[in-house]
């Protein structure tokens, strides 16, 4: 077989006439020509590259003989013609449709399993099919070939690479099933000779793997991701038909373009939304409005505020903020003006918060001249001083932005209600004074809802008529029926019974006005007759519904109570009373009685009573935990008024008449009853509203705390090397032992340059210092470490890890640095002397590195690195730039826990607060736009730049690249039609972002402007140039000469060139500011200060120094414990490490180690520790002392101490806790235990809990997969139950039979499970049975064939896959939630085959399938294939 035959069906790779290759050992660049094998056996051939080569050959033939001999077959010519046409069409579509890189990536990502290649790798063109006659000649595979071994292919492929040739016998057909065999070589994989006989030579795709540089697994992933290349043939077929019918599309013909295919014709809307390629996304990119404004205001984009509404908004927001600001009362009016001005900037000018804070800072400050007595000894002394008061800070600006959105929602709803009322007036001539009065007075959504409820209650019939009228004009002619309750009251209102309602002598609105203390008092009038007598009158009755007086009176009272409950004014009264005098009581449920014991985190509020609403402002996490407990059904939160009876009595006086008679008293009784009915409804309504508002307020407070903490994380400059200025990026050597045991497991390290490149990495396995006194040398790894430090000269060594053992690594590194006198780089001190200090060693916050180590980003950036090495890279990059690392996390940044109560706050709210914090600090430091073009980590900051967002940042980068790359000045961002430069942003977005995108100044470039490298906004460049000219003392003629010779930036250039920036300090800026304000009405005092600072030090680092972790933070990072979760006096399980003569060494699960002296081991001092305890035994101990700096502790094990752990002491006021209920519950639980008659089983083991199955599941709910609880068994005293967490909401309960018990209370010396598994103690059972099964569950769920969904979802995935790949078979695993410990093996052997499912059981150390045991997933997959093949051959599986 010739080389041409092998290459005929090979995948095309972007190539040129000559390619460069690198010798893998030497790194030498080699040149290779097409048609020659490279070092790896990659075949390159130019005989059948692309049709361009065919065209060139044909052209050469024409030039030579004017005739091209056509010796090709007609089918071949037709195929080549179609391919040329197809390629030209694709190129044309790319040019006309402007598909960018993201669009093209999406086309490759139609399969969700697609993995994008690193940018440095060549992109594959669409894979070509082989010749038609070759494909037709392929043997159709039978079912027995579905699971044919491709491990054989892998083995043969390795041989091919070694021999630098391709064996066509081992190349698979493109329609072969993708289910691979996973036999190891030693497991009976056929050898090459067997393969020669078993598989005939098939000519098909060749060289895909070689050409693409992909290994077998990656090639399989690529096939699975891209399919076989025919998934979108239907779309291409439509396009072909259109091309053949209509010819080539005219790009100037909109109709022709409209008829062409678009992305939304091929891809699902969810895929386009994920890649931000929907029509809405394109509109956001195109609109000249900041992206964050577009997204936030999208629900109100059609709302236009009138001038009166805009003024109202300013007052509404300032009143809301004023209550929270601690400003002198005399500044209320300036404060209101400042808020109004900020609103004008946001709404009219569409400036974002960073722009306003940076360039309109003068409007956020109130300045006034305060007269003073001038100094008589200073003739130039002024008789006043300027007193400046800061009115608004940056956080206030974000608050104004949020309140603007809330006000828009308010106006939107108000407008809708007003429009409904107007339409009602059109169809019926009426006026409702209550509605007309209360609608403009409603200033909250709750009050607007009250008005809406009132309107729908009072005018239900009219609204029904309006809905019917609208429905008759609508296409479907349908309308919503009013609720039955409203219809009932509407019938009463239209009946004679309503006269009885009017006989109560006062309307609901008048009563509410009395209660609200508005206007003059409305008095109640009594009828002449008793209520019962009046109700019995014939003119009141309205048969058949109301045929008796009792019915009429009952209906009238219900109607009047409903009118009171739906009165907007009455609701306003109740709402004010609840917020002023409301208290919260917490009542445990029956479920909570059993589950919330004294050690439960919810016990702190189990019997909480009489809590004022204001008390939760200081502890919002308490109320959020209460809400969570209520959602779990453990408690009930009740909101009530503290002085409810006195409140009722006050309201009675407002509704009762002042008359003294039997009739008046009778009517007053009825009025009080009506009021009680109304208050009952209002109480429930107000309680719900108060709880919801309080919950939102507490969530906002916790989110604010998270934002502040996140801001502190972002407000860190890179770690400052000694002798360098703040902001210098250090060179870092990062090292970690991960979760490994110090001294036994490997230690990984990575060397990262200041530009972020990882130049070296490695690991140490034998890392310890020698002892010179004993003649013991240092280990080889220590010597290597010292050489590495001396060779690389790092600025700092960063260390971190997942366990307390990392503290030992830190101590060892510190000893090495001290003993070997390792020093940092040499720098020049203040006296111009060279010096070097001891090398810095710091413990690094690893919250970002933990997320990075196993991320897709790490895999793409460093494909060959181990996770722990990636972890070290993450540590190093965090030292170099914390803000870039947080930005690189994207949406995953919310996975970082910054507050214990963060889990109670919705993720969207946390994400929003994190985004605003990121926006603040990204705009504080700015983004060097030209660096962002080449550095992805800098580019990650662009979406947070003022005016931009994810979409506009993408558009910005794309347009800059289309314009040729790097920018010279900021003006280029808005484009230049004369120079044919596209605009990257519109004028309004440019105004927002210009000063936050800086460009490095290049004095050799005439168009480069020094001010473009500063925080100075282009609108203030003239001011900066004027200040520079004044600093240089240039007159107008000198300035004109400089400008005429060197352009507008000439004066600034001269100032910099002559290094005289310091002269701007001599300028009196107050005079500049006064002139600007008096002549141009511009307030620029703070702006002038910014210009002065930026001219001297452009984009100076304003962040704080890199923050080193405190001892408390290190303790939590290494152990996962806090002061609340681990404290002195607490009883904890410990594992004995060493048993000495008179002491024990022990270790906690969190890694803290400690000792127990003999006196604290036992109450019996005469007994030796060796006779009581043994190594690795787990026992209970009480913490006596914790050293949080060294991560050590001392314990006491005496029984009297362990039985009396320290209890939490809650600081409560009298009346805050229901002690009586607490005692009653304890007595009740004790009685239940006594009545049960069953002895409570107690097992001395740290994992034993006195739980039932439900309690065990609840306890394990928040634990990790594989965690265990040992508990009493309902089967008797010779049984134990072991419950372990299989997965989320899936728990397996194991029955353990105890044998060889010495007495009924002791544990059995033999423990059996199912009669198959036997263990000597509980520790062995947990390790060898439960943990072994948990490991198998992890192995299953981490396998590539596992689907994280239900069985139905997995079967849908199988069906979809086989529809896309009709000739391929597929299988997948998923969990069986109904049978804990079991999984489903679902498979489908082709498009038309039936879906089948087999159960897979998890047993210790194995998987069980059809009664066969398999030790690992590879064996399980291969075993399944063999079982399936045998089944197809007539041998049924053993089941």
């Amino acid at each position: 077989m010739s080389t041409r035959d092998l290459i005929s069906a090979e995948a095309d790779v972007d190539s040129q006439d000559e390619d460069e290759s690198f010798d893998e050992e030497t790194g030498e660049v080699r040149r290779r020509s097409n048609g020659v094998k490279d070092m790896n056996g990659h075949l390159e051939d130019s005989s059948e590259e692309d049709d361009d080569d065919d065209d060139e050959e044909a052209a050469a033939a024409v030039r030579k003989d004017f005739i091209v001999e056509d010796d090709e077959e007609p089918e071949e010519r037709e195929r080549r013609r179609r391919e040329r046409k197809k390629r030209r069409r694709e190129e044309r579509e790319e040019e006309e449709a402007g598909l960018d890189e993201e669009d093209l990536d999406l086309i490759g990502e139609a399969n969700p399993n697609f993995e994008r290649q690193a940018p440095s790798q060549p992109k594959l063109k669409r894979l070509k099919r082989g010749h038609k006659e070759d494909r037709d000649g392929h043997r159709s595979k039978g079912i027995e070939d579905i699971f044919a071994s491709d491990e054989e292919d892998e083995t043969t492929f390795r041989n091919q690479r070694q021999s630098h040739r391709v064996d066509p016998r081992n190349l698979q057909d493109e329609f072969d099933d993708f289910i691979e065999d996973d036999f190891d070589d030693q497991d009976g994989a056929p050898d090459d000779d067997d393969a020669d006989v078993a598989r005939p030579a098939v000519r098909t795709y060749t060289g895909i793997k070689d050409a693409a540089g992909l290994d077998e697994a990656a090639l399989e992933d690529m096939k699975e991701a891209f399919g076989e290349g025919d998934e979108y043939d239907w779309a291409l077929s439509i396009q072909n038909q259109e091309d053949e019918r209509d010819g080539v599309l005219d790009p100037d013909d909109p109709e022709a373009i409209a008829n062409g295919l678009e992305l939304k014709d091929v891809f699902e809307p969810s895929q386009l939304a994920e890649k931000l390629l929907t029509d809405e996304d394109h509109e956001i990119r195109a609109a000249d409005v900041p992206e964050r404004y577009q997204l936030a205001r999208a629900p109100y984009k059609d709302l236009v505020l009138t001038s009166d509404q805009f003024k109202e908004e300013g007052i509404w927001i300032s009143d809301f903020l004023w209550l929270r600001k601690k400003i002198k009362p005399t500044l209320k009016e300036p404060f209101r003006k400042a808020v109004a001005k900020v609103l004008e900037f946001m709404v009219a000018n569409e400036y974002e918060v960073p722009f306003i804070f940076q360039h309109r800072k003068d409007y956020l400050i109130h300045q006034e001249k305060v007269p003073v007595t001038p100094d008589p000894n200073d003739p130039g002394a002024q008789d006043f001083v300027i007193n400046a008061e800061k009115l608004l800070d940056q956080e206030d600006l974000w608050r104004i932005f949020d309140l603007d959105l809330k006000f828009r929602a308010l106006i939107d709803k108000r407008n809708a209600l007003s429009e409904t009322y107007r339409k009602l007036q059109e169809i019926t001539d009426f006026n409702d004074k209550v509605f007309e009065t209360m609608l403009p007075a409603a200033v909250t959504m709750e009050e607007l809802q009250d008005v809406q409820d009132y309107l729908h209650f009072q005018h239900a019939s009219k609204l029904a008529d309006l809905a019917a009228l609208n429905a008759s004009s609508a296409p479907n002619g349908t309308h919503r029926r009013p609720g039955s309750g409203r219809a009932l009251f509407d019938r009463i209102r239209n009946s004679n019974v309503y006269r009885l309602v009017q006989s109560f002598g006062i309307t609901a609105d008048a009563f509410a006005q009395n209660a609200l203390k508005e206007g003059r008092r409305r008095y109640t009038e009594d009828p002449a007759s008793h209520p019962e007598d009046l109700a019995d009158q014939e003119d009141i009755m309205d048969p058949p519904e109301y045929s008796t007086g009792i019915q009429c009176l009952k209906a009238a009272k219900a109607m009047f109570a409903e009118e009171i409950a739906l009165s907007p004014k009455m609701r306003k009264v109740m709402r004010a009373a609840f917020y002023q005098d409301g208290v919260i009581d917490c009542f445990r449920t029956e479920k909570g009685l059993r589950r919330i014991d004294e050690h439960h985190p919810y016990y702190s509020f189990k019997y909480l009573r009489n809590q004022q609403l204001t008390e939760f402002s200081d502890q919002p996490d308490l109320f959020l935990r209460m809400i969570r407990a209520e959602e779990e059904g453990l408690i009930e939160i009740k909101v009530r008024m503290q002085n409810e009876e006195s409140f009722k009595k006050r309201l009675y006086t407002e509704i009762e008449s002042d008359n003294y008679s039997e009739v008046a008293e009778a009517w007053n009784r009825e009025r009080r009853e009506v009021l009680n009915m109304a208050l009952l409804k209002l109480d429930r309504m107000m309680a719900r509203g108060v709880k919801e508002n309080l919950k939102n307020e507490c969530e906002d407070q916790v989110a604010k705390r998270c934002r502040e903490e996140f801001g502190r994380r972002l407000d860190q400059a890179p770690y400052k090397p000694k002798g360098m200025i703040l902001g210098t990026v250090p060179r870092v050597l990062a090292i970690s032992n991960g979760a490994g045991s110090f001294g036994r497991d490997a230690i990984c390290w990575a060397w990262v340059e200041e530009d972020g490149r990882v130049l070296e990495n490695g690991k140490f396995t034998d890392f310890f210092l020698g002892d010179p006194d004993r003649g013991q040398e240092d280990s080889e790894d220590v010597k290597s470490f010292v050489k590495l430090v001396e060779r690389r000269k790092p600025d700092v060594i960063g260390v971190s890890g997942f366990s307390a053992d990392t503290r030992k690594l830190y101590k060892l590194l510190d000893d090495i640095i001290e003993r070997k006198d390792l020093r940092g780089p040499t720098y020049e001190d203040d006296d111009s002397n060279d010096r070097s200090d001891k090398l810095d060693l710091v413990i690094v916050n690893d919250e970002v590195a933990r997320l990075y180590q196993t991320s897709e980003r790490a895999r793409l950036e460093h494909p060959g690195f181990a996770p722990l090495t990636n972890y070290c890279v993450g540590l190093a990059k965090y030292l170099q730039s914390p803000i870039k690392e947080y930005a690189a996390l994207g949406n995953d940044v919310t996975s970082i826990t910054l507050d214990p109560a963060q889990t109670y706050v919705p993720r969207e709210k946390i994400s929003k607060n994190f985004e605003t914090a990121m926006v603040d600090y990204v705009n504080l430091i700015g983004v060097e736009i030209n660096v962002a073009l080449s550095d992805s980590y800098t580019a990650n900051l662009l979406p947070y730049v003022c005016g931009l967002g994810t979409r506009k940042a993408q558009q910005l980068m794309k347009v800059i690249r289309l314009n040729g790359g790097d920018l010279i000045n900021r003006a280029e961002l808005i484009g230049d039609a004369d120079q044919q430069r596209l605009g990257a942003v519109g004028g309004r977005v440019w105004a927002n972002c210009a000063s936050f995108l800086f460009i490095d100044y290049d004095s050799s470039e005439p168009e480069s402007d020094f001010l473009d490298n500063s925080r100075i906004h282009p609108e203030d460049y003239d001011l900066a140039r004027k200040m520079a000219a004044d600093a240089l003392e240039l007159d107008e003629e000198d300035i004109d000469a400089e400008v005429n010779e060197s352009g507008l930036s000439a004066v600034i250039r001269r100032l910099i060139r002559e290094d005289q920036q310091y002269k701007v300090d001599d300028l009196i800026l107050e005079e500049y500011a006064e002139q600007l304000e008096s002549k141009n009405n511009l307030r620029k005092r703070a702006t002038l200060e910014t210009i002065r600072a930026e001219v001297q030090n452009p984009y100076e680092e304003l962040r704080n120094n890199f923050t080193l972790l405190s001892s408390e933070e290190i303790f939590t990072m290494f152990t996962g414990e806090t002061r609340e979760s681990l404290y002195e006096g607490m009883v904890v399980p410990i594992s004995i490490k060493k048993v000495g003569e008179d002491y024990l060494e022990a270790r906690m699960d969190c890694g803290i180690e400690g000792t127990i002296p003999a006196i604290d081991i036992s109450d019996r001092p005469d007994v030796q520790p060796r006779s009581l305890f043994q190594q690795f035994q787990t026992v209970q101990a009480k913490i006596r002392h914790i050293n949080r700096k060294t991560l050590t502790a001392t314990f006491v094990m005496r029984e009297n101490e362990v039985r009396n752990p320290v209890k939490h002491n809650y600081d409560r006021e009298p009346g805050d806790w229901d002690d009586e209920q607490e005692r009653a519950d304890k007595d009740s639980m004790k009685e239940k235990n006594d009545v049960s008659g069953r002895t409570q089983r107690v097992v001395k083991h740290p994992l034993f809990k006195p739980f039932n199955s439900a309690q065990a599941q609840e306890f394990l709910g928040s634990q990790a997969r594989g965690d265990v609880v040992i508990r009493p068994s309902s089967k008797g005293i010779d049984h134990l139950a072991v419950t372990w967490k299989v997965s989320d909401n899936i728990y397996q309960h194991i029955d353990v039979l105890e044998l060889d018990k010495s007495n009924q209370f002791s544990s059995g010396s033999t423990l059996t499970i199912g009669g198959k598994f036997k263990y000597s103690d509980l520790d062995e059972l947990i390790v060898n049975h439960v943990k072994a099964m948990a490991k198998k569950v992890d192995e299953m769920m981490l396998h590539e064939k596992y689907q994280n969904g239900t069985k139905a979802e997995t079967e849908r995935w199988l069906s979809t896959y086989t529809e896309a790949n009709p000739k391929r078979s597929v299988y997948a695993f998923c969990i069986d939630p109904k049978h804990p410990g079991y999984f489903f093996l679902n498979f489908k052997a082709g498009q038309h085959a039936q879906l089948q499912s087999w159960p897979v059981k998890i047993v210790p150390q194995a998987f069980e399938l059809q009664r066969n045991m398999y030790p690992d997933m590879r064996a399980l997959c291969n075993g399944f294939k063999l079982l399936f093949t045998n089944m197809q051959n007539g041998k049924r599986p053993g089941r």
Side-chain angles (χ1 to χ4, degrees), residues 192-212:
D192 292 346
D193 295 334
D194 293 338
D196 294 345
V197 177
R199 182 174 300 172
V202 180
R203 184 172 171 210
T204 177
Y205 292 155
T206 67
I208 294 177
K209 178 166 55 179
D210 287 357

Side-chain angles (χ1 to χ4, degrees), residues 598-599 603-605 619 1123-1124 1127-1129 1204-1213 1217 1222:
E598 292 185 354
H599 304 292
Y603 195 80
S604 60
F605 51 79
Q619 43 184 352
R1123 289 191 178 273
E1124 289 73 28
Y1127 48 88
E1128 294 167 356
N1204 296 287
V1206 172
K1207 295 183 179 180
H1208 282 290
N1209 291 321
Y1210 299 103
D1211 185 16
R1212 300 190 183 98
E1213 295 293 332
W1217 193 258
E1222 183 181 30

Side-chain angles (χ1 to χ4, degrees), residues 932-950:
L933 293 173
S934 57
D935 177 30
S936 61
Y937 278 78
T938 304
N940 289 332
L941 302 177
L942 281 177
Y944 304 102
V945 169
C946 182
L948 302 183
T950 304

Side-chain angles (χ1 to χ4, degrees), residues 123-136:
K123 295 182 180 178
L124 293 173
K125 293 182 180 177
R126 180 181 292 275
L127 301 179
K128 291 186 178 179
R129 302 180 183 274
H131 289 291
K132 183 179 184 297
E133 54 271 20
D134 294 335
R135 298 197 305 273
D136 293 342

Side-chain angles (χ1 to χ4, degrees), residues 752-1003:
V752 182
E753 282 284 345
E754 60 262 40
D755 58 4
R757 291 178 301 145
V758 183
L759 299 187
E760 277 191 83
N761 69 91
K763 65 179 181 179
F764 301 131
T765 57
D766 188 25
F767 199 65
F768 64 87
L769 270 173
D771 189 346
D773 297 335
R774 298 182 180 180
Q776 184 182 16
E777 292 188 354
D778 300 333
S779 67
E780 291 299 320
D781 283 342
V782 168
K783 296 177 182 177
S784 300
F785 170 77
V786 173
K787 290 180 181 178
L788 173 67
V789 171
E790 292 175 344
R791 174 165 51 87
R792 286 296 185 180
K793 294 291 184 184
D795 296 309
V796 60
I797 295 179
V799 60
S800 198
F802 315 146
S803 69
D805 277 1
T806 305
R807 172 61 79 172
K808 299 178 183 178
L809 174 61
Y810 175 86
K811 181 65 171 60
L812 176 60
L813 290 171
D814 192 47
D815 290 343
I816 294 174
I817 292 172
E818 190 68 35
R819 187 181 298 182
K820 304 299 180 183
D821 194 27
L822 299 180
R823 296 188 167 271
T826 302
Y827 65 94
E828 192 174 272
D829 61 16
D830 297 337
D831 297 328
S832 300
N833 298 321
D834 290 341
R835 61 171 296 177
S836 63
D837 297 327
K838 176 185 171 183
L839 182 58
D840 288 344
L841 175 68
V842 299
I843 295 177
V844 188
N845 185 341
D846 72 339
E847 59 191 12
V848 177
R850 290 194 187 210
L851 295 174
Y852 175 76
Q853 63 175 334
T854 55
S855 66
E856 182 67 12
R857 179 163 54 98
R859 191 187 68 81
L860 292 175
E861 292 176 354
H862 311 292
F865 285 12
L868 188 54
T869 305
N870 281 325
Y871 174 80
C872 293
V873 174
L875 296 176
K877 290 190 174 182
Y878 189 87
L879 282 166
Q880 292 178 335
S881 180
I883 194 170
K884 288 184 179 180
E885 289 303 297
Y886 286 115
L889 290 177
N891 294 330
D892 292 338
V893 72
T894 54
S895 301
I896 298 174
T897 301
L898 301 179
D899 190 278
Q902 183 176 332
T903 55
Y904 305 126
V905 182
R907 190 183 185 96
E908 297 77 18
K909 193 169 286 189
I910 294 293
S911 178
K912 179 182 175 182
N913 279 270
F914 280 9
E915 181 185 14
T916 57
M918 185 70 77
V919 169
D920 287 346
Y921 285 97
V922 167
N923 290 281
L924 175 69
I925 64 173
V927 178
E928 189 171 356
I929 184 63
N930 289 333
V931 173
L933 293 173
S934 57
D935 177 30
S936 61
Y937 278 78
T938 304
N940 289 332
L941 302 177
L942 281 177
Y944 304 102
V945 169
C946 182
L948 302 183
T950 304
R951 300 161 187 80
K952 288 190 177 293
Q954 293 172 352
Q955 182 80 356
L956 177 76
M957 301 277 283
K958 185 194 305 180
V959 172
I960 292 175
R961 291 190 177 103
L962 287 175
N963 286 336
D966 289 357
L967 298 175
I968 298 177
N969 54 59
R970 286 169 172 164
E972 293 182 355
L973 286 169
I974 55 177
D976 189 337
D978 296 336
Q979 298 182 9
Q980 296 183 344
R981 295 185 64 88
L982 299 173
V985 292
R988 186 158 288 185
V989 174
W990 181 81
N992 271 281
C993 70
S995 64
F996 305 107
L997 300 175
F998 62 93
I999 302 168
D1000 193 32
Y1001 173 61
D1002 183 2
S1003 59

